[in-house]
Amino acid sequence: REGFDFDPLPISDCASLVGPLLPVWETGLPVRSARDATRGGVAAVLHEWSLATGQGMTVRECDLPVTPVVRAVCELMGLDPLFLACEGTCVLAVAPAAVEAVLAVLRAHPQTAHACVIGIVTPPRSTPVRVLRGTGREVPLDEPAGSPLPRIC
């Protein structure tokens, strides 16, 4: 978009979430919440959940399933992948005892074959959402600024 010649180009993540999520619902596994990460990215989802539950959230930057190409573009443009609109990505809050079973169902679908645990729910604290950066430093994760709109394609 900005005239950069990336090779390879980042691949769009736009996709319906019905295909990978329907099998999860059909299992009856205890998924406590599910949200797409379109508006405000993963950061917005975590802040909304923290506000709704009164709990803290900690996400581990090194566990985010971000492709090397997207990570490189983010570094070059000064973007944090946690704030990117991810129109074919969802974030699930799952009971701890069901994590492995839910992951197995998600990984069986090609669209969510990279499903992984990116963080945990924590007791409430002064900064409700935190990120453990790759440097090993845990820092507050800001709320997305403004009201980001999804791309209209």
Side-chain angles (χ1 to χ4, degrees), residues 62-80:
C62 64
D63 291 340
L64 295 171
V66 178
T67 65
V69 172
V70 170
R71 193 169 303 281
V73 170
C74 285
E75 288 176 12
L76 180 67
M77 310 235 4
L79 301 171
D80 187 332

Side-chain angles (χ1 to χ4, degrees), residues 100 102-110 112-117:
E100 292 305 318
V102 170
L103 283 173
V105 173
L106 288 171
R107 289 175 180 160
H109 192 282
T112 49
H114 61 279
C116 61
V117 175

